[in-house]
Coordinates of all heavy atoms in Angstrom, one line a residue:
M1292 N -11.3 -15.9 -34.1 CA -10.2 -16.6 -33.4 C -9.0 -15.6 -33.3 O -8.8 -14.8 -34.2 CB -9.7 -17.8 -34.2 CG -10.7 -18.9 -34.1 SD -10.1 -20.0 -32.9 CE -10.6 -21.6 -33.5
T1293 N -8.2 -15.8 -32.3 CA -7.0 -15.0 -32.1 C -5.9 -15.7 -32.8 O -5.9 -16.8 -33.1 CB -6.7 -14.7 -30.6 OG1 -6.6 -16.0 -30.0 CG2 -7.8 -13.9 -29.9
A1294 N -4.8 -14.9 -33.0 CA -3.6 -15.5 -33.6 C -3.0 -16.6 -32.6 O -3.2 -16.5 -31.4 CB -2.6 -14.4 -33.8
P1295 N -2.3 -17.6 -33.1 CA -1.8 -18.7 -32.3 C -1.0 -18.3 -31.1 O -1.1 -18.9 -30.0 CB -1.0 -19.5 -33.2 CG -1.5 -19.3 -34.6 CD -2.0 -17.8 -34.5
N1296 N -0.3 -17.2 -31.2 CA 0.5 -16.8 -30.0 C 0.0 -15.6 -29.3 O 0.6 -15.0 -28.5 CB 2.0 -16.4 -30.5 CG 2.7 -17.7 -31.0 OD1 2.5 -18.8 -30.5 ND2 3.4 -17.5 -32.1
A1297 N -1.3 -15.2 -29.6 CA -1.9 -14.1 -29.0 C -2.2 -14.4 -27.5 O -2.5 -15.5 -27.1 CB -3.2 -13.7 -29.7
H1298 N -2.3 -13.3 -26.7 CA -2.6 -13.4 -25.3 C -3.8 -12.5 -25.0 O -3.9 -11.4 -25.6 CB -1.5 -13.1 -24.4 CG -0.3 -13.9 -24.6 ND1 -0.1 -15.2 -24.1 CD2 0.9 -13.7 -25.3 CE1 1.0 -15.7 -24.5 NE2 1.6 -14.8 -25.2
D1299 N -4.7 -12.9 -24.2 CA -5.7 -12.1 -23.7 C -5.5 -11.8 -22.2 O -4.9 -12.6 -21.5 CB -7.1 -12.8 -23.8 CG -7.5 -13.0 -25.3 OD1 -7.5 -12.0 -26.0 OD2 -7.7 -14.2 -25.6
H1300 N -5.8 -10.6 -21.8 CA -5.6 -10.2 -20.4 C -6.9 -10.0 -19.8 O -7.8 -9.3 -20.4 CB -4.7 -8.9 -20.4 CG -3.3 -9.1 -20.8 ND1 -3.0 -9.0 -22.2 CD2 -2.2 -9.4 -20.2 CE1 -1.7 -9.3 -22.3 NE2 -1.2 -9.5 -21.1
V1301 N -7.1 -10.5 -18.6 CA -8.4 -10.4 -17.9 C -8.0 -9.8 -16.5 O -7.1 -10.3 -15.9 CB -9.0 -11.8 -17.8 CG1 -10.3 -11.7 -16.9 CG2 -9.3 -12.4 -19.1
L1302 N -8.7 -8.8 -16.2 CA -8.5 -8.2 -14.8 C -9.7 -8.5 -14.0 O -10.9 -8.3 -14.4 CB -8.4 -6.7 -15.0 CG -8.1 -5.9 -13.7 CD1 -6.8 -6.3 -13.0 CD2 -8.2 -4.4 -13.9
I1303 N -9.5 -9.1 -12.8 CA -10.6 -9.3 -11.9 C -10.2 -8.5 -10.6 O -9.1 -8.4 -10.2 CB -10.9 -10.8 -11.5 CG1 -9.7 -11.4 -10.8 CG2 -11.3 -11.5 -12.8 CD1 -10.1 -12.8 -10.2
V1304 N -11.3 -7.9 -10.1 CA -11.1 -7.0 -8.9 C -12.1 -7.4 -7.8 O -13.1 -8.0 -8.1 CB -11.3 -5.5 -9.3 CG1 -10.2 -5.1 -10.3 CG2 -12.7 -5.2 -9.8
P1305 N -11.8 -7.1 -6.6 CA -12.7 -7.4 -5.5 C -14.0 -6.6 -5.6 O -14.0 -5.4 -6.1 CB -12.0 -7.1 -4.2 CG -10.6 -6.9 -4.6 CD -10.6 -6.5 -6.0
R1306 N -15.1 -7.2 -5.3 CA -16.4 -6.4 -5.3 C -16.3 -5.5 -4.1 O -15.5 -5.7 -3.1 CB -17.6 -7.4 -5.1 CG -17.8 -8.2 -6.4 CD -19.1 -9.0 -6.3 NE -19.2 -9.8 -7.5 CZ -19.7 -9.4 -8.6 NH1 -20.1 -8.2 -8.8 NH2 -19.9 -10.2 -9.6
D1307 N -17.1 -4.5 -4.1 CA -17.1 -3.5 -3.0 C -17.5 -4.0 -1.6 O -17.3 -3.3 -0.6 CB -17.9 -2.3 -3.4 CG -17.4 -1.5 -4.6 OD1 -16.1 -1.6 -4.8 OD2 -18.1 -0.9 -5.4
D1308 N -18.2 -5.1 -1.6 CA -18.8 -5.6 -0.3 C -17.7 -6.2 0.6 O -18.1 -6.7 1.7 CB -20.0 -6.5 -0.5 CG -19.7 -7.6 -1.5 OD1 -18.5 -7.8 -1.9 OD2 -20.6 -8.4 -1.8
G1309 N -16.5 -6.3 0.2 CA -15.4 -6.9 1.0 C -15.5 -8.4 1.0 O -16.3 -9.0 0.4
G1310 N -14.5 -9.0 1.7 CA -14.5 -10.4 1.9 C -13.9 -11.1 0.7 O -14.1 -12.3 0.6
A1311 N -13.1 -10.4 -0.1 CA -12.6 -11.1 -1.3 C -11.4 -12.0 -1.0 O -11.2 -13.0 -1.7 CB -12.2 -10.0 -2.3
G1312 N -10.7 -11.7 0.0 CA -9.5 -12.5 0.4 C -8.3 -12.2 -0.5 O -8.3 -11.2 -1.2
A1313 N -7.3 -13.1 -0.4 CA -6.1 -12.8 -1.1 C -6.2 -13.0 -2.6 O -6.9 -14.0 -3.1 CB -5.0 -13.8 -0.6
P1314 N -5.7 -12.1 -3.4 CA -5.8 -12.2 -4.9 C -5.1 -13.5 -5.4 O -5.6 -14.0 -6.4 CB -5.1 -10.9 -5.4 CG -4.3 -10.4 -4.3 CD -4.9 -10.9 -3.0
E1315 N -4.1 -13.9 -4.7 CA -3.4 -15.1 -5.2 C -4.3 -16.3 -5.1 O -4.3 -17.2 -6.0 CB -2.1 -15.4 -4.4 CG -1.0 -14.3 -4.5 CD -1.2 -13.1 -3.6 OE1 -2.2 -13.0 -2.9 OE2 -0.4 -12.2 -3.7
L1316 N -5.1 -16.4 -4.1 CA -6.1 -17.5 -3.9 C -7.2 -17.4 -5.0 O -7.6 -18.4 -5.5 CB -6.7 -17.5 -2.5 CG -7.6 -18.6 -2.2 CD1 -7.0 -20.0 -2.4 CD2 -8.1 -18.5 -0.8
A1317 N -7.6 -16.2 -5.2 CA -8.6 -16.0 -6.3 C -8.1 -16.5 -7.6 O -8.8 -17.1 -8.4 CB -9.0 -14.5 -6.3
A1318 N -6.8 -16.2 -7.9 CA -6.2 -16.6 -9.2 C -6.2 -18.1 -9.3 O -6.5 -18.7 -10.4 CB -4.8 -16.0 -9.3
V1319 N -5.8 -18.8 -8.2 CA -5.8 -20.2 -8.3 C -7.2 -20.8 -8.5 O -7.3 -21.7 -9.3 CB -5.2 -20.8 -6.9 CG1 -5.3 -22.3 -6.8 CG2 -3.7 -20.4 -6.9
R1320 N -8.1 -20.3 -7.8 CA -9.5 -20.7 -8.0 C -10.0 -20.5 -9.4 O -10.7 -21.4 -10.0 CB -10.4 -20.1 -7.0 CG -10.3 -20.5 -5.6 CD -11.2 -19.8 -4.6 NE -11.1 -20.4 -3.3 CZ -11.5 -19.8 -2.2 NH1 -12.0 -18.6 -2.2 NH2 -11.4 -20.4 -1.0
L1321 N -9.7 -19.3 -9.9 CA -10.2 -19.0 -11.3 C -9.5 -19.9 -12.3 O -10.2 -20.5 -13.1 CB -9.8 -17.5 -11.6 CG -10.2 -17.0 -13.0 CD1 -11.7 -17.2 -13.3 CD2 -9.7 -15.6 -13.2
I1322 N -8.2 -20.1 -12.2 CA -7.5 -20.9 -13.2 C -8.0 -22.4 -13.1 O -8.2 -23.0 -14.1 CB -6.0 -20.9 -12.9 CG1 -5.5 -19.5 -13.3 CG2 -5.3 -22.0 -13.7 CD1 -4.1 -19.2 -12.8
A1323 N -8.4 -22.8 -11.9 CA -8.9 -24.2 -11.8 C -10.2 -24.4 -12.5 O -10.5 -25.5 -12.9 CB -9.0 -24.6 -10.3
L1324 N -10.9 -23.3 -12.7 CA -12.2 -23.4 -13.4 C -12.2 -23.1 -14.9 O -13.2 -23.2 -15.6 CB -13.2 -22.5 -12.7 CG -13.6 -22.8 -11.3 CD1 -14.3 -21.7 -10.6 CD2 -14.4 -24.1 -11.2
L1325 N -11.0 -22.8 -15.4 CA -10.8 -22.5 -16.8 C -10.2 -23.7 -17.5 O -9.7 -24.6 -16.9 CB -10.0 -21.3 -17.0 CG -10.6 -20.0 -16.4 CD1 -9.7 -18.8 -16.5 CD2 -11.9 -19.7 -17.2
P1326 N -10.2 -23.8 -18.8 CA -9.7 -24.9 -19.6 C -8.3 -25.2 -19.2 O -7.4 -24.4 -19.2 CB -9.9 -24.5 -21.0 CG -11.0 -23.5 -21.0 CD -10.9 -22.8 -19.7
P1327 N -8.0 -26.5 -18.9 CA -6.6 -26.9 -18.5 C -5.6 -26.8 -19.7 O -4.4 -26.7 -19.4 CB -6.8 -28.3 -18.1 CG -8.0 -28.8 -18.7 CD -8.9 -27.6 -18.9
Q1328 N -6.0 -26.8 -20.9 CA -5.1 -26.7 -22.0 C -4.6 -25.2 -22.3 O -3.6 -25.0 -23.0 CB -5.7 -27.3 -23.3 CG -6.8 -26.5 -23.9 CD -8.2 -27.0 -23.4 OE1 -8.3 -27.5 -22.3 NE2 -9.2 -26.7 -24.1
W1329 N -5.3 -24.3 -21.7 CA -4.8 -22.9 -21.8 C -3.6 -22.7 -20.9 O -3.4 -23.5 -19.9 CB -5.9 -21.9 -21.4 CG -7.1 -21.9 -22.4 CD1 -7.2 -22.6 -23.5 CD2 -8.2 -21.1 -22.2 NE1 -8.4 -22.3 -24.1 CE2 -9.1 -21.3 -23.3 CE3 -8.7 -20.2 -21.2 CZ2 -10.3 -20.7 -23.5 CZ3 -9.9 -19.6 -21.4 CH2 -10.7 -19.8 -22.5
R1330 N -2.9 -21.6 -21.1 CA -1.7 -21.3 -20.3 C -2.0 -20.0 -19.6 O -2.6 -19.1 -20.2 CB -0.4 -21.2 -21.1 CG 0.0 -22.5 -21.8 CD 0.4 -23.5 -20.7 NE 0.5 -24.9 -21.3 CZ -0.3 -25.9 -21.0 NH1 -1.3 -25.8 -20.2 NH2 -0.1 -27.1 -21.6
Y1331 N -1.6 -19.9 -18.3 CA -1.9 -18.7 -17.5 C -0.7 -18.1 -16.9 O 0.2 -18.8 -16.5 CB -2.9 -19.1 -16.4 CG -4.1 -19.8 -16.9 CD1 -4.2 -21.2 -17.0 CD2 -5.2 -19.1 -17.4 CE1 -5.3 -21.9 -17.5 CE2 -6.3 -19.8 -18.0 CZ -6.3 -21.1 -18.0 OH -7.4 -21.8 -18.5
S1332 N -0.7 -16.8 -16.8 CA 0.4 -16.1 -16.1 C -0.3 -14.9 -15.3 O -0.6 -13.9 -15.8 CB 1.4 -15.5 -17.1 OG 2.4 -14.8 -16.5
P1333 N -0.5 -15.2 -14.0 CA -1.1 -14.1 -13.2 C -0.1 -13.1 -12.6 O 1.0 -13.5 -12.3 CB -1.8 -14.9 -12.1 CG -1.0 -16.1 -11.9 CD -0.4 -16.4 -13.3
T1334 N -0.5 -11.9 -12.5 CA 0.2 -10.9 -11.7 C -0.8 -10.2 -10.8 O -2.0 -10.4 -11.0 CB 0.9 -9.8 -12.6 OG1 -0.1 -9.2 -13.5 CG2 2.0 -10.5 -13.5
Y1335 N -0.2 -9.5 -9.8 CA -1.1 -9.0 -8.8 C -0.8 -7.5 -8.5 O -0.2 -7.1 -7.6 CB -0.9 -9.8 -7.5 CG -1.0 -11.2 -7.7 CD1 0.2 -12.0 -7.9 CD2 -2.2 -11.9 -7.9 CE1 0.1 -13.4 -8.2 CE2 -2.3 -13.2 -8.2 CZ -1.2 -14.0 -8.3 OH -1.3 -15.3 -8.6
P1336 N -1.4 -6.6 -9.4 CA -1.2 -5.2 -9.2 C -2.2 -4.7 -8.1 O -3.4 -4.7 -8.3 CB -1.6 -4.6 -10.6 CG -2.5 -5.6 -11.2 CD -2.1 -6.9 -10.7
G1337 N -1.6 -4.4 -7.0 CA -2.5 -4.0 -5.8 C -3.2 -5.2 -5.3 O -2.7 -6.3 -5.2
Q1338 N -4.5 -5.1 -5.0 CA -5.3 -6.2 -4.6 C -6.1 -6.8 -5.7 O -7.2 -7.4 -5.5 CB -6.2 -5.8 -3.4 CG -5.4 -5.5 -2.1 CD -4.7 -6.8 -1.6 OE1 -5.3 -7.9 -1.6 NE2 -3.5 -6.7 -1.3
K1339 N -5.6 -6.7 -6.9 CA -6.3 -7.2 -8.1 C -5.5 -8.4 -8.7 O -4.4 -8.7 -8.3 CB -6.3 -6.1 -9.2 CG -7.0 -4.8 -8.7 CD -6.9 -3.7 -9.7 CE -7.4 -2.4 -9.1 NZ -7.1 -1.3 -9.9
V1340 N -6.2 -9.0 -9.6 CA -5.5 -10.1 -10.3 C -5.6 -9.8 -11.8 O -6.6 -9.6 -12.4 CB -6.2 -11.5 -10.1 CG1 -5.6 -12.6 -10.9 CG2 -6.3 -11.8 -8.6
C1341 N -4.4 -9.7 -12.4 CA -4.3 -9.6 -13.9 C -3.9 -11.0 -14.4 O -2.8 -11.4 -14.0 CB -3.3 -8.5 -14.3 SG -3.1 -8.4 -16.0
L1342 N -4.7 -11.6 -15.2 CA -4.4 -12.9 -15.7 C -4.2 -12.9 -17.2 O -5.0 -12.5 -17.9 CB -5.6 -13.8 -15.4 CG -5.5 -15.3 -15.7 CD1 -4.3 -15.9 -14.8 CD2 -6.8 -16.0 -15.4
R1343 N -3.0 -13.2 -17.5 CA -2.6 -13.3 -18.9 C -3.0 -14.8 -19.4 O -2.5 -15.7 -18.8 CB -1.1 -13.1 -19.1 CG -0.6 -13.1 -20.5 CD 0.8 -12.8 -20.6 NE 1.3 -12.8 -21.9 CZ 2.5 -12.8 -22.3 NH1 3.5 -12.8 -21.4 NH2 2.9 -12.8 -23.6
V1344 N -3.8 -14.8 -20.4 CA -4.3 -16.1 -20.9 C -3.8 -16.4 -22.3 O -4.0 -15.6 -23.2 CB -5.9 -16.1 -20.8 CG1 -6.4 -17.5 -21.3 CG2 -6.4 -15.8 -19.4
S1345 N -3.2 -17.5 -22.5 CA -2.8 -17.9 -23.8 C -3.7 -19.2 -24.2 O -3.6 -20.2 -23.5 CB -1.3 -18.3 -23.9 OG -1.0 -18.8 -25.2
T1346 N -4.5 -19.0 -25.2 CA -5.3 -20.1 -25.6 C -4.8 -20.9 -26.8 O -5.4 -21.8 -27.3 CB -6.7 -19.6 -26.0 OG1 -6.6 -18.8 -27.2 CG2 -7.4 -18.8 -24.9
G1347 N -3.6 -20.5 -27.3 CA -3.1 -21.2 -28.5 C -3.9 -20.9 -29.7 O -3.9 -21.8 -30.6
G1348 N -4.7 -19.8 -29.7 CA -5.5 -19.5 -30.9 C -6.8 -20.3 -30.9 O -7.5 -20.3 -31.9
R1349 N -7.1 -21.0 -29.9 CA -8.3 -21.8 -29.9 C -9.6 -21.1 -29.4 O -10.6 -21.7 -29.4 CB -8.1 -23.1 -29.0 CG -7.0 -24.0 -29.6 CD -6.9 -25.2 -28.7 NE -5.7 -25.9 -29.1 CZ -4.5 -25.9 -28.5 NH1 -4.4 -25.2 -27.4 NH2 -3.5 -26.6 -28.9
A1350 N -9.4 -19.9 -28.9 CA -10.5 -19.1 -28.4 C -10.4 -17.6 -28.6 O -9.2 -17.1 -28.6 CB -10.7 -19.4 -26.9
S1351 N -11.5 -17.0 -28.9 CA -11.4 -15.5 -29.1 C -11.4 -14.8 -27.8 O -11.7 -15.4 -26.7 CB -12.6 -15.1 -29.9 OG -13.8 -15.2 -29.1
A1352 N -11.1 -13.5 -27.8 CA -11.1 -12.8 -26.5 C -12.5 -12.8 -25.9 O -12.6 -12.9 -24.7 CB -10.6 -11.3 -26.8
A1353 N -13.5 -12.7 -26.7 CA -14.9 -12.8 -26.2 C -15.2 -14.1 -25.5 O -15.8 -14.2 -24.5 CB -15.9 -12.5 -27.3
E1354 N -14.7 -15.2 -26.1 CA -14.9 -16.5 -25.5 C -14.1 -16.6 -24.1 O -14.6 -17.2 -23.2 CB -14.4 -17.6 -26.4 CG -15.3 -17.8 -27.6 CD -14.7 -18.7 -28.7 OE1 -13.5 -18.5 -29.0 OE2 -15.4 -19.5 -29.3
V1355 N -12.9 -16.0 -24.1 CA -12.1 -16.0 -22.8 C -12.9 -15.3 -21.8 O -13.1 -15.8 -20.7 CB -10.7 -15.4 -23.0 CG1 -10.1 -15.2 -21.7 CG2 -9.9 -16.3 -23.9
R1356 N -13.4 -14.1 -22.1 CA -14.2 -13.3 -21.1 C -15.5 -14.0 -20.7 O -15.8 -14.0 -19.5 CB -14.6 -11.9 -21.7 CG -13.4 -11.0 -21.9 CD -13.8 -9.6 -22.3 NE -14.5 -9.6 -23.6 CZ -13.9 -9.4 -24.7 NH1 -12.6 -9.3 -24.8 NH2 -14.7 -9.4 -25.8
S1357 N -16.1 -14.7 -21.6 CA -17.3 -15.5 -21.3 C -17.0 -16.6 -20.3 O -17.8 -16.8 -19.3 CB -18.0 -16.0 -22.6 OG -19.1 -16.8 -22.2
L1358 N -16.0 -17.3 -20.5 CA -15.6 -18.4 -19.6 C -15.1 -17.9 -18.3 O -15.4 -18.5 -17.2 CB -14.5 -19.3 -20.2 CG -15.0 -20.2 -21.3 CD1 -13.9 -21.0 -22.0 CD2 -16.1 -21.2 -20.8
V1359 N -14.5 -16.7 -18.3 CA -14.1 -16.1 -17.0 C -15.3 -15.7 -16.2 O -15.4 -16.0 -15.0 CB -13.1 -14.9 -17.2 CG1 -13.0 -14.1 -16.0 CG2 -11.8 -15.4 -17.7
D1360 N -16.3 -15.1 -16.9 CA -17.5 -14.7 -16.2 C -18.3 -15.9 -15.7 O -18.8 -15.8 -14.6 CB -18.4 -13.9 -17.2 CG -17.9 -12.5 -17.6 OD1 -17.0 -12.0 -16.8 OD2 -18.4 -12.0 -18.6
R1361 N -18.3 -17.0 -16.4 CA -18.9 -18.2 -15.9 C -18.2 -18.7 -14.7 O -18.8 -19.1 -13.7 CB -18.9 -19.2 -17.0 CG -19.9 -20.3 -16.8 CD -20.0 -21.3 -17.9 NE -20.2 -20.6 -19.2 CZ -20.0 -21.1 -20.4 NH1 -19.5 -22.3 -20.5 NH2 -20.2 -20.4 -21.5
A1362 N -16.9 -18.7 -14.7 CA -16.1 -19.1 -13.5 C -16.3 -18.2 -12.3 O -16.4 -18.7 -11.2 CB -14.6 -19.2 -13.9
L1363 N -16.5 -16.9 -12.6 CA -16.7 -16.0 -11.4 C -18.1 -16.2 -10.8 O -18.3 -15.7 -9.7 CB -16.5 -14.6 -11.9 CG -15.1 -14.2 -12.2 CD1 -15.0 -12.8 -12.9 CD2 -14.2 -14.3 -11.0
A1364 N -18.9 -17.0 -11.4 CA -20.2 -17.3 -10.8 C -20.1 -18.3 -9.7 O -21.0 -18.6 -8.9 CB -21.2 -17.7 -11.9
D1365 N -18.9 -19.0 -9.7 CA -18.7 -20.0 -8.7 C -18.7 -19.4 -7.3 O -18.2 -18.3 -7.1 CB -17.3 -20.6 -8.9 CG -17.0 -21.8 -7.9 OD1 -17.4 -22.9 -8.2 OD2 -16.4 -21.5 -6.9
P1366 N -19.3 -20.1 -6.3 CA -19.4 -19.5 -4.9 C -18.1 -19.1 -4.4 O -18.0 -18.1 -3.6 CB -20.1 -20.6 -4.1 CG -20.8 -21.4 -5.1 CD -20.0 -21.3 -6.4
G1367 N -17.0 -19.8 -4.7 CA -15.7 -19.4 -4.1 C -15.1 -18.2 -4.7 O -14.1 -17.6 -4.2
L1368 N -15.7 -17.6 -5.8 CA -15.2 -16.4 -6.4 C -16.3 -15.3 -6.4 O -16.1 -14.3 -7.1 CB -14.8 -16.7 -7.9 CG -13.5 -17.6 -8.0 CD1 -13.3 -18.1 -9.4 CD2 -12.3 -16.7 -7.5
R1369 N -17.3 -15.5 -5.7 CA -18.4 -14.5 -5.7 C -18.0 -13.1 -5.2 O -18.7 -12.1 -5.5 CB -19.6 -15.0 -5.0 CG -19.4 -15.1 -3.5 CD -20.7 -15.6 -2.8 NE -20.4 -15.9 -1.4 CZ -20.3 -17.1 -1.0 NH1 -20.5 -18.1 -1.8 NH2 -20.0 -17.4 0.3
A1370 N -16.9 -13.0 -4.5 CA -16.4 -11.7 -4.1 C -15.6 -10.9 -5.1 O -15.1 -9.9 -4.9 CB -15.7 -11.8 -2.8
W1371 N -15.5 -11.5 -6.3 CA -14.7 -11.0 -7.4 C -15.5 -10.7 -8.6 O -16.5 -11.3 -8.8 CB -13.5 -11.9 -7.7 CG -12.5 -12.1 -6.6 CD1 -12.6 -13.0 -5.6 CD2 -11.3 -11.3 -6.4 NE1 -11.6 -12.8 -4.7 CE2 -10.8 -11.8 -5.2 CE3 -10.7 -10.3 -7.1 CZ2 -9.6 -11.3 -4.8 CZ3 -9.5 -9.8 -6.7 CH2 -9.0 -10.3 -5.5
R1372 N -15.1 -9.7 -9.4 CA -15.8 -9.4 -10.7 C -14.7 -9.1 -11.7 O -13.6 -8.6 -11.4 CB -16.7 -8.3 -10.5 CG -16.1 -7.0 -10.2 CD -17.1 -5.8 -10.0 NE -16.4 -4.6 -9.6 CZ -15.9 -3.7 -10.4 NH1 -15.9 -3.9 -11.7 NH2 -15.3 -2.7 -9.9
R1373 N -15.1 -9.4 -13.0 CA -14.2 -9.0 -14.1 C -14.5 -7.6 -14.5 O -15.6 -7.1 -14.4 CB -14.5 -9.9 -15.3 CG -13.6 -9.6 -16.5 CD -13.9 -10.5 -17.7 NE -15.2 -10.4 -18.2 CZ -15.7 -9.5 -19.0 NH1 -14.9 -8.5 -19.4 NH2 -16.9 -9.5 -19.4
T1374 N -13.4 -6.9 -14.8 CA -13.5 -5.5 -15.2 C -12.7 -5.3 -16.5 O -12.4 -6.3 -17.2 CB -13.1 -4.6 -14.1 OG1 -13.4 -3.2 -14.5 CG2 -11.6 -4.7 -13.7
A1375 N -12.4 -4.1 -16.9 CA -11.6 -3.8 -18.1 C -10.3 -4.6 -18.1 O -9.8 -5.1 -17.1 CB -11.3 -2.4 -18.2
S1376 N -9.8 -4.8 -19.3 CA -8.5 -5.6 -19.5 C -7.4 -4.9 -18.7 O -7.4 -3.7 -18.4 CB -8.1 -5.6 -20.9 OG -9.1 -6.4 -21.6
C1377 N -6.4 -5.7 -18.3 CA -5.3 -5.3 -17.6 C -4.4 -4.3 -18.5 O -4.4 -4.5 -19.7 CB -4.4 -6.4 -17.2 SG -5.2 -7.6 -16.2
D1378 N -3.8 -3.4 -17.9 CA -2.8 -2.6 -18.5 C -1.5 -3.1 -18.0 O -1.1 -2.9 -16.8 CB -3.0 -1.1 -18.2 CG -2.1 -0.2 -18.8 OD1 -1.1 -0.7 -19.5 OD2 -2.3 1.0 -18.8
E1379 N -0.7 -3.7 -18.9 CA 0.6 -4.3 -18.4 C 1.6 -3.2 -18.0 O 2.6 -3.5 -17.4 CB 1.2 -5.1 -19.6 CG 0.4 -6.3 -19.9 CD 1.3 -7.4 -20.3 OE1 1.8 -7.4 -21.4 OE2 1.6 -8.3 -19.4
R1380 N 1.2 -1.9 -18.2 CA 2.1 -0.9 -17.7 C 1.9 -0.6 -16.2 O 2.6 0.2 -15.6 CB 2.0 0.4 -18.5 CG 2.4 0.2 -19.9 CD 2.1 1.3 -20.8 NE 0.6 1.3 -20.9 CZ -0.1 2.2 -21.5 NH1 0.5 3.3 -22.0 NH2 -1.4 2.2 -21.5
V1381 N 0.9 -1.3 -15.6 CA 0.7 -1.1 -14.1 C 1.9 -1.5 -13.4 O 2.4 -2.6 -13.6 CB -0.5 -1.9 -13.7 CG1 -0.7 -1.8 -12.1 CG2 -1.8 -1.5 -14.3
P1382 N 2.5 -0.6 -12.6 CA 3.7 -0.9 -11.9 C 3.5 -2.0 -10.9 O 2.5 -2.1 -10.2 CB 4.2 0.4 -11.2 CG 2.9 1.2 -11.2 CD 2.0 0.8 -12.3
R1383 N 4.4 -2.9 -10.8 CA 4.4 -4.0 -9.8 C 5.0 -3.5 -8.5 O 6.0 -2.7 -8.6 CB 5.2 -5.2 -10.3 CG 4.5 -5.8 -11.5 CD 5.2 -7.1 -12.0 NE 4.6 -7.5 -13.2 CZ 5.1 -8.3 -14.0 NH1 6.3 -8.9 -13.7 NH2 4.6 -8.7 -15.2
P1384 N 4.5 -4.0 -7.4 CA 5.1 -3.5 -6.1 C 6.6 -3.9 -6.0 O 7.0 -5.0 -6.5 CB 4.3 -4.2 -5.1 CG 3.1 -4.8 -5.8 CD 3.4 -4.9 -7.2
A1385 N 7.4 -3.0 -5.5 CA 8.8 -3.3 -5.3 C 9.0 -4.4 -4.3 O 8.2 -4.4 -3.3 CB 9.6 -2.1 -4.9
T1386 N 9.9 -5.3 -4.5 CA 10.2 -6.3 -3.5 C 11.5 -5.9 -2.8 O 12.5 -5.4 -3.4 CB 10.3 -7.7 -4.1 OG1 11.3 -7.7 -5.1 CG2 9.0 -8.1 -4.7
S1387 N 11.6 -6.2 -1.5 CA 12.8 -5.9 -0.8 C 13.8 -7.1 -0.9 O 13.4 -8.3 -1.1 CB 12.5 -5.7 0.7 OG 11.9 -6.8 1.3
V1388 N 15.0 -6.8 -0.8 CA 16.1 -7.9 -1.0 C 16.5 -8.4 0.3 O 16.7 -7.7 1.3 CB 17.2 -7.3 -1.8 CG1 18.3 -8.4 -2.0 CG2 16.7 -6.8 -3.1

């Protein structure tokens, strides 16, 4: 088990065959397939999704990855795959004012 306030980071990226669509939509679909009691904070470095997951200490990092992999088997997410954990130092795109 992780500590009660620990967070796991999951990075999903488009598969090479294209057709992945918007990362924001992939994040919504992924979150909808994960436990509703968890808390999520997605960011979008490039065309990827970095999902910060807080389980409240109810799941290990391995359990989070397992559930994410299961969710990615859904037909609506078949163009995406999980890869190495996110690096929070990835710069976010600048926004214009």
Side-chain angles (χ1 to χ4, degrees):
M1292 287 264 211
T1293 57
N1296 293 323
H1298 300 282
D1299 294 304
H1300 294 85
V1301 177
L1302 180 65
I1303 66 169
V1304 297
R1306 294 189 182 275
D1307 294 332
D1308 54 5
E1315 296 84 358
L1316 182 56
V1319 169
R1320 287 179 174 161
L1321 177 59
I1322 290 168
L1324 295 169
L1325 295 173
Q1328 68 272 21
W1329 291 0
R1330 298 292 169 248
Y1331 306 96
S1332 179
T1334 56
Y1335 310 99
Q1338 288 298 312
K1339 303 172 186 167
V1340 177
C1341 178
L1342 186 62
R1343 183 178 180 193
V1344 180
S1345 176
T1346 67
R1349 295 182 191 103
S1351 68
E1354 290 168 318
V1355 170
R1356 289 188 301 271
S1357 176
L1358 286 174
V1359 167
D1360 288 344
R1361 199 173 309 160
L1363 290 173
D1365 183 85
L1368 290 167
R1369 68 178 168 257
W1371 293 85
R1372 65 180 175 85
R1373 183 179 59 80
T1374 188
S1376 295
C1377 300
D1378 182 349
E1379 291 215 285
R1380 294 171 293 173
V1381 174
R1383 295 183 188 167
T1386 57
S1387 58
V1388 181

